[in-house]
């Protein structure tokens, strides 16, 4: 594997997204949402201004869990199928580059663009809030940004996998939307449904483990468990085995969610 | 302009070798048992109808798709084997209807591909000048015409001074002037010893320019050799035109009845006929000695005639 080849592809993908202002647009969306939630999140209760940073993060989590997977899937769904459909893939593959290098280059370039927008967008808000929150709060906020980046990378990896399997862009975009629906909307409902139907008899014990089968849920657990305020609020401690709440373990699961789809994509691409 | 051809003798080992190559897509035999030997410094043409298997053969030669069976080697190395990187650094490829990135400029396009090829980008400006795109180096590909894109694709194929060039329908979209300068570059490359494989559906364009060619139909090589050898193999008649004064027209026609010619057609002041290759010298001699014949033209069958002869 040659790093130079991966870097060439990655830098092209990254600068493409900088030049067409994709990075700027997404960063602004994140800034706007984060600011709105931080300052106006409590408007329902009749007050505006920053509340507890933990509560703000909890609100941001429920927003990001919808938004980032969607953005990542849109960003990556045509990574390979787009080149194939335009007709530029053959020329790329005639270069001294392996298919693994091409996939990794695409992934890292797009991941850099997504990471840059996420960090810039939410980071700007962190700077604005820095005078009003303590060091501990900042650490939590930083953890939230990091996990958002991981969440984005996991869905980006899934998107790149789709882009290898799909025969054309239209199908790839359909699959991307279906994937978003499944992981973000349907998955939890299915689990809950199974729990309720079986009256809690079935799945009660494996339920927490099943949550790991969805990167969006891993993201949620990762954030909620690091926040003392929120943990007590939801009473989650009683449901969730402490072993699974280890942020390092959850981080590793997230990394697995990034590596595995890329591995499958490479295997398929070589066929 | 005399061609300087470093093309080696037939004993020189071939640099691009295909043996028993098949490519099947389900029941479709896109390539059906192809053997090819392309020699060092040769400009080799691959012609055939659409769907004859040329592009599939190209893709296999470039290692883009593996053969169902058989083996293809470039300079002794398998195109899909472990040493493919070294092979590909020495290969330039211009795909049919090349698609480049609209958002990059010409210069950026070359920079991107030169980095992938691992060659220095210092020559890129000169390369753009060479294909006639010096003036558009900093314009986005989005603004390029079809011919300009094709020329940029050609410049891309020339990155890093490749030893092998694969050009799939390279003159599509080029105007006659650009086609001329394109072939001038090919002549120069051939004099530098670059081995080239080219496909084209404009047979008149390549018939005088390739060293040898192969005719492909339905996934098979029907014939392979120099254009002249294929003409002889096909045994197509030559065409002879003579000019005579109108008052001698009938007398000359009668005289032609004695000669081994066929398909005689008389027009105002000329007569067209066909003749077999082996009778050519005798017929020319008889016509030259006849005082009533004022001028004489012999035309070889065109590559198109040969092509249809083999592919029908």
């Amino acid at each position: 594997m040659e790093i130079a080849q991966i870097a060439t592809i990655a830098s092209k993908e990254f600068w493409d997204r900088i030049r067409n202002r994709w990075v700027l647009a997404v960063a602004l969306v994140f800034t706007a949402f984060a600011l709105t939630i931080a300052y106006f999140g409590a408007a329902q209760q009749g007050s505006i201004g920053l509340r507890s940073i933990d509560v703000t993060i909890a609100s941001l989590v429920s927003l990001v869990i919808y938004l980032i997977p969607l953005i990542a899937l849109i960003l990556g769904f045509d990574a390979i199928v787009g080149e194939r459909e335009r007709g530029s893939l053959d020329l790329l593959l005639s270069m001294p580059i392996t298919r693994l290098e091409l996939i990794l280059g695409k992934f890292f370039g797009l991941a850099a663009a997504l990471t840059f927008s996420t960090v810039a967008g939410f980071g700007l808000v962190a700077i604005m809030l820095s005078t009003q929150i303590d060091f501990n709060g900042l650490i939590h906020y930083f953890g939230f940004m990091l996990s958002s980046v991981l969440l984005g990378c996991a869905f980006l990896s899934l998107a790149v996998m789709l882009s290898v399997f799909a025969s054309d862009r239209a199908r790839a975009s359909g699959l991307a939307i279906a994937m978003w629906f499944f992981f973000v909307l349907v998955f939890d409902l299915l689990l809950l449904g199974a729990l309720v139907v079986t009256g809690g008899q079935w799945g009660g014990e494996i339920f927490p483990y099943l949550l790991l089968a969805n990167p969006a849920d891993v993201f949620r657990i990762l954030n909620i468990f690091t926040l003392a305020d929120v943990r007590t609020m939801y009473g989650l401690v009683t449901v969730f085995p402490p072993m699974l709440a280890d942020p390092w373990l959850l981080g590793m699961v997230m990394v697995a969610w990034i590596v595995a789809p890329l591995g499958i994509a490479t295997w398929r691409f070589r066929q | 302009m005399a061609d300087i051809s470093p093309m080696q003798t037939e004993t020189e080992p071939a640099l691009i070798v295909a043996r028993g190559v098949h490519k099947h897509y389900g029941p479709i035999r896109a390539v059906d048992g192809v053997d090819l030997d392309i020699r060092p410094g040769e400009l080799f043409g691959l012609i055939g109808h659409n769907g004859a298997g040329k592009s599939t053969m190209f893709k296999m030669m470039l290692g883009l798709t593996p053969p169902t069976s058989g083996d293809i080697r470039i300079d002794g190395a398998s195109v899909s084997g472990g040493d493919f990187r070294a092979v590909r650094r020495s290969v330039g490829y211009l795909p049919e209807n090349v698609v480049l990135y609209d958002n990059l400029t010409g210069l950026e396009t070359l920079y991107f591909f030169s980095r992938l090829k691992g060659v220095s980008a210092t020559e890129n400006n000169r390369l753009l000048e060479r294909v006639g795109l010096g003036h558009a180096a900093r314009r986005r590909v989005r603004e390029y015409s079809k011919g300009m894109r094709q020329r940029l694709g050609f410049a891309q194929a020339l990155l890093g001074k490749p030893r092998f060039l694969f050009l799939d329908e390279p003159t599509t979209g080029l105007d006659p002037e650009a086609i001329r300068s394109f072939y001038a570059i090919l002549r120069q490359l051939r004099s530098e010893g670059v081995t080239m494989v080219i496909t084209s559906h404009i047979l008149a364009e390549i018939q005088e320019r390739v060293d040898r060619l192969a005719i492909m139909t339905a996934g098979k090589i029907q014939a392979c050799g120099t254009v002249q050898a294929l003409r002889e193999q096909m045994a197509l008649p030559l065409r002879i035109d003579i000019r005579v004064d109108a008052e001698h027209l009938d007398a000359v026609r009668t005289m032609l009845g004695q000669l081994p010619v066929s398909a005689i057609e008389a027009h105002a002041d000329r007569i067209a006929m066909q003749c077999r290759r082996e009778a050519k010298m005798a017929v020319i001699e008889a016509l030259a000695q006849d005082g009533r014949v004022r001028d004489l033209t012999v035309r070889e069958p065109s590559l198109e005639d040969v092509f249809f002869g083999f592919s029908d």
Side-chain angles (χ1 to χ4, degrees):
Chain A
M1 190 158 74
E2 284 190 8
I3 302 298
Q5 302 300 68
I6 299 173
T8 303
I9 300 286
S11 76
K12 177 181 175 296
E13 291 299 324
F14 178 72
W15 286 109
D16 279 355
R17 298 312 181 293
I18 293 280
R19 289 218 281 200
N20 66 14
R21 300 194 178 81
W22 186 94
V23 169
L24 180 68
V26 172
L28 286 177
V29 167
F30 286 154
T31 307
F33 273 117
L35 274 181
T36 312
I37 285 174
Y39 283 102
F40 301 109
Q44 281 175 323
Q45 283 89 44
S47 65
I48 54 166
L50 183 68
R51 295 169 298 165
S52 136
I53 186 70
D54 281 5
V55 175
T56 301
I57 291 176
S59 308
L60 279 174
V61 164
S62 34
L63 168 81
V64 156
I65 214 162
Y66 290 98
L67 203 55
I68 285 196
L70 188 64
I71 288 172
L73 286 165
I74 291 171
L75 180 63
F77 83 92
D78 77 340
I80 299 295
V81 76
E83 298 270 0
R84 183 177 288 148
E85 197 165 295
R86 270 198 308 275
S88 48
L89 187 62
D90 275 355
L91 183 55
L92 262 188
L93 291 175
S94 78
M95 296 285 142
I97 186 172
T98 64
R99 288 168 197 235
L100 172 64
E101 288 161 358
L102 179 58
I103 283 187
L104 289 181
K106 287 272 182 186
F107 173 78
F108 283 121
L110 296 174
L114 187 57
T115 302
F116 194 85
S117 341
T118 311
V119 171
F122 289 128
L124 193 63
V125 177
I127 293 167
M128 291 169 168
L129 296 179
S130 60
T131 53
Q132 300 172 53
I133 52 179
D134 60 4
F135 180 72
N136 227 2
L138 269 182
I139 294 285
H140 283 168
Y141 192 80
F142 179 77
F144 156 74
M145 286 205 302
L146 182 68
S147 60
S148 300
V149 167
L150 285 175
L151 175 69
C153 289
F155 274 91
L156 184 63
S157 175
L158 287 166
V160 170
M161 184 181 80
L162 287 184
S163 82
V164 171
F165 276 85
S167 56
D168 54 65
R169 282 185 82 232
R171 227 165 281 195
S173 63
L175 284 171
I177 291 170
M179 190 168 265
W180 184 79
F181 263 96
F182 177 75
F183 281 124
V184 175
L185 300 177
V186 179
F187 187 89
D188 290 0
L189 283 178
L190 280 180
L191 283 193
L192 266 173
L195 268 179
V196 171
V197 166
T198 57
Q201 298 295 307
W202 177 85
E205 274 162 30
I206 57 161
F207 181 79
Y209 295 91
L210 286 175
L211 288 177
L212 301 184
N214 180 351
D217 281 331
V218 178
F219 170 77
R220 202 194 309 262
I221 301 162
L222 201 47
N223 278 286
I224 285 171
F225 263 85
T226 51
L227 307 172
D229 288 9
V230 183
R231 199 158 53 206
T232 24
M233 191 162 87
Y234 286 108
L236 275 167
V237 188
T238 48
V239 183
F240 217 75
M243 191 201 88
L244 278 186
D246 176 5
W248 287 106
L249 176 82
L250 292 168
M252 290 308 290
V253 172
M254 214 58 153
V255 170
W257 267 108
I258 296 170
V259 174
L262 287 179
I264 295 169
T266 307
W267 165 78
R268 172 69 189 179
F269 197 26
R270 282 178 178 157
Q271 304 294 305
Chain B
M1 177 178 162
D3 278 1
I4 314 148
S5 169
M7 207 191 108
Q8 307 298 315
T9 60
E10 295 200 7
T11 53
E12 184 88 0
L15 275 185
I16 302 173
V17 180
R19 285 289 171 271
V21 175
H22 288 260
K23 181 72 185 181
H24 301 170
Y25 295 103
I28 299 160
R29 292 162 172 254
V31 171
D32 195 12
V34 164
D35 295 311
L36 264 185
D37 292 273
I38 299 170
R39 299 175 201 133
E42 186 170 40
L43 177 49
F44 189 89
L46 196 56
I47 62 174
H49 294 294
N50 290 339
K54 295 176 310 221
S55 286
T56 307
M57 198 59 211
F58 248 57
K59 284 185 183 181
M60 287 191 287
M61 288 197 272
L62 288 158
L64 298 178
T65 177
T68 308
S69 64
D71 184 38
I72 300 178
R73 286 174 178 273
I74 293 184
D75 203 7
S78 170
V79 283
S80 47
D83 41 6
F84 84 102
R85 233 189 263 272
V87 175
R88 287 193 188 177
R89 288 217 160 90
S90 61
V91 167
Y93 171 45
L94 173 59
E96 184 179 3
N97 300 320
V98 62
V99 178
L100 300 158
Y101 301 102
D102 278 355
N103 58 332
L104 300 184
T105 66
L107 207 50
E108 286 166 348
T109 303
L110 288 195
Y111 179 70
F112 172 64
F113 285 109
S114 58
R115 277 186 66 188
L116 277 183
K117 271 200 159 178
V119 300
S120 157
T122 52
E123 292 290 303
N124 290 357
N125 266 313
R126 202 173 313 167
L127 207 48
L128 283 176
E129 296 283 347
R130 194 176 182 187
V131 299
L133 282 179
H135 64 287
R138 290 177 194 283
R139 271 164 57 191
R140 300 261 173 117
V141 172
R142 182 180 298 128
E143 300 163 23
Y144 278 25
S145 68
K146 184 156 173 20
M148 289 166 82
R149 285 161 197 249
Q150 196 71 13
R151 281 189 268 177
L152 181 58
F154 185 42
Q156 166 279 132
L158 297 179
L159 282 168
K161 296 194 189 315
R163 293 173 54 221
F164 304 93
L165 264 184
F166 291 86
L167 308 166
D168 201 356
E169 303 282 352
T171 56
T172 310
L174 295 188
D175 58 43
E177 178 64 33
I179 291 177
R180 266 175 71 135
S181 62
F182 167 78
Y183 280 106
I185 295 176
L186 288 203
R187 272 200 300 277
Q188 198 181 344
L189 291 170
R190 201 177 61 151
S191 74
E192 292 162 11
V194 180
T195 307
M196 291 172 276
V197 188
I198 182 171
T199 70
S200 179
H201 63 275
I202 307 167
L203 303 180
E205 183 185 299
I206 66 167
Q207 68 176 351
E208 302 306 329
R209 285 158 166 149
V210 294
D211 295 309
R212 288 192 310 142
L213 58 87
I215 296 173
M216 258 189 113
T217 51
K220 289 188 165 72
I221 302 272
Q222 297 297 335
C224 180
T226 62
V227 175
Q228 191 57 28
L230 295 186
R231 282 184 185 128
E232 287 166 17
Q233 195 180 331
M234 199 65 227
L236 289 174
L238 305 165
R239 202 180 144 85
I240 298 178
D241 275 353
I242 54 172
R243 286 192 63 189
V244 287
D245 290 330
E247 66 261 33
H248 301 308
L249 209 57
D250 289 336
V252 173
R253 266 192 86 145
T254 317
M255 183 273 288
L256 288 176
Q258 319 292 317
L259 295 178
V261 294
S262 58
I264 301 167
E265 284 172 41
H267 305 277
D269 63 344
R270 62 185 191 90
I271 303 174
M273 70 204 83
Q274 291 187 346
C275 122
R276 282 176 298 112
R277 187 172 298 279
E278 55 274 21
K280 177 172 88 173
M281 293 314 289
V283 171
I284 291 174
E285 204 178 340
L287 291 172
Q289 281 169 7
D290 190 306
R292 294 165 298 190
V293 176
R294 294 205 288 118
D295 193 11
L296 180 153
T297 320
V298 182
R299 275 217 335 253
E300 288 282 353
S302 69
L303 181 56
E304 199 172 283
D305 300 330
V306 175
F307 174 68
F308 284 115
F310 276 108
S311 61
D312 285 348

